[in-house]
Amino acid sequence: MSTIVRPRRSVLFMPGSNARALEKARTLPADGVVIDLEDAVAPDAKADARAQVAATLRAGGFAPREVVVRTNAVDTPWFEEDLAVVAWASAEGAGPDAVLIPKVSDAETLVTIGRRLDALGAAPALRVWAMIETPLAVLRALDIALAARNPVTRLAVLVLGTNDLSKETGARVVPGRAPMMGWLSHCVLAARAGGVEVLDAVWNAFRDLGGFARECAQAAEMGFDGKTLIHPGQIEPCNAAFTPPPGEVEAARALIALFDRPENAGKGVVQIEGRMVERMHADIARRTVALADAIAARG
């Protein structure tokens, strides 16, 4: 069985209006870069930022990093032009790989955006990422994730936004995130049910790398595929947290080899080192190995 995995351990937000920052992003070891037209850009700078982003996409040079453009929210006066720039760039072969839509609160919005991208001539490969950052979005996370089953939505990734969730609910963002753990777990389950990936929210105290590393470890344990970042200094500890340890990869390869033996071809359960393991564990192992190999291929 072939498993294709694209690492999304670290996805760094960069302001779309800052040409110097975008140039630096081409050299950083992040798995992905989100070029931001929303929160990082003041209202009177939106048009200039959009032009800057178009020029940046045309120039390219981000590979192998995944490039994503975050538009302004659907109900803002800037959304349509943001989406048009993304669609144009993808149609011209200039990227990006995906468009990140803020404050998605229902599946119907994704259908509408997918149809709009089709009408704008966006390349078929362009994916949609959806931010889950409102109470309604968390409550409807399953419906939003299941929208990926409709190919018109192009949905590939859910991205958590705990800062906005804190603002709208009054729940505090504290170490350990106890007030939000139920929401985070719910969104991971929804993503898996929908067959899409899910990224954890940003850590605001970018100088506190110890606290950041602990939150990355927590997110990895919860099943997140990676984490969004706000500072280049966060990339290294984030990559480390979401990279399978060598011992885990070695054990996964051994498990795969065991199930691949001819005498085990029809078995659902085998014994290894005094433990009984099921074929589903081999499937998990294949993903672990595929992720490790994809990371290694990036150097």
Side-chain angles (χ1 to χ4, degrees):
M1 183 179 72
S2 175
T3 303
I4 299 174
V5 174
R6 183 163 197 171
R8 292 186 174 116
R9 300 166 297 170
S10 53
V11 178
L12 178 66
F13 279 97
M14 300 294 271
S17 57
N18 189 328
R20 183 177 177 183
L22 294 175
E23 181 63 30
K24 182 178 181 180
R26 293 181 171 93
T27 68
L28 297 172
D31 288 336
V33 176
V34 176
I35 302 175
D36 191 16
L37 288 171
E38 192 205 18
D39 289 345
V41 180
D44 60 357
K46 298 288 189 185
D48 288 343
R50 194 181 302 115
Q52 174 66 55
V53 169
T56 298
L57 294 173
R58 192 181 299 114
F62 287 93
R65 299 158 197 84
E66 196 166 13
V67 178
V68 183
V69 174
R70 179 164 71 170
T71 67
N72 287 278
V74 174
D75 60 355
T76 66
W78 309 288
F79 173 73
E80 280 295 335
E81 291 184 72
D82 291 349
L83 197 68
V85 164
V86 172
W88 163 83
S90 71
E92 293 293 316
D97 299 287
V99 55
L100 175 58
I101 309 298
K103 297 179 176 60
V104 174
S105 292
D106 56 64
E108 291 74 19
T109 295
L110 295 172
V111 173
T112 300
I113 289 170
R115 289 173 177 163
R116 185 66 183 136
L117 287 170
D118 289 344
L120 289 167
L126 180 70
R127 300 294 90 193
V128 169
W129 294 14
M131 291 212 68
I132 306 298
E133 52 187 342
T134 67
L136 192 56
V138 173
L139 292 170
R140 292 177 174 172
L142 178 58
D143 290 339
I144 292 170
L146 291 176
R149 296 181 179 179
N150 181 351
V152 76
T153 68
R154 304 172 180 244
L155 183 64
V157 179
L158 303 184
V159 181
L160 272 291
T162 51
N163 285 331
D164 281 272
L165 283 169
S166 173
K167 175 185 174 182
E168 295 203 22
T169 63
R172 295 181 179 178
V173 180
V174 297
R177 301 190 288 186
M180 297 184 176
M181 286 299 289
W183 309 343
L184 298 172
S185 296
H186 172 68
C187 290
V188 171
L189 285 172
R192 299 306 175 223
V196 298
E197 296 206 350
V198 58
L199 302 181
D200 193 18
V202 300
W203 168 270
N204 298 317
F206 63 88
R207 297 190 188 279
D208 180 8
L209 293 181
F212 175 70
R214 287 189 291 273
E215 188 163 289
C216 286
Q218 178 196 60
E221 289 172 354
M222 292 177 68
F224 282 98
D225 295 290
K227 192 167 179 63
T228 50
L229 315 176
I230 59 171
H231 192 276
Q234 297 176 324
I235 297 172
E236 184 177 348
C238 189
N239 283 346
F242 289 96
T243 297
E248 183 179 316
V249 177
E250 182 180 350
R253 293 189 192 279
L255 181 58
I256 293 167
L258 181 63
F259 271 100
D260 285 347
R261 290 179 185 175
E263 65 267 28
N264 293 329
K267 295 181 179 179
V269 180
V270 298
Q271 180 177 319
I272 183 172
E273 297 178 353
R275 296 181 295 114
M276 301 303 294
V277 293
E278 300 179 38
R279 190 163 290 276
M280 69 172 182
H281 294 111
D283 294 337
I284 296 170
R286 291 181 199 281
R287 179 173 175 83
T288 297
V289 169
L291 177 58
D293 288 347
I295 292 168
R298 293 189 171 209

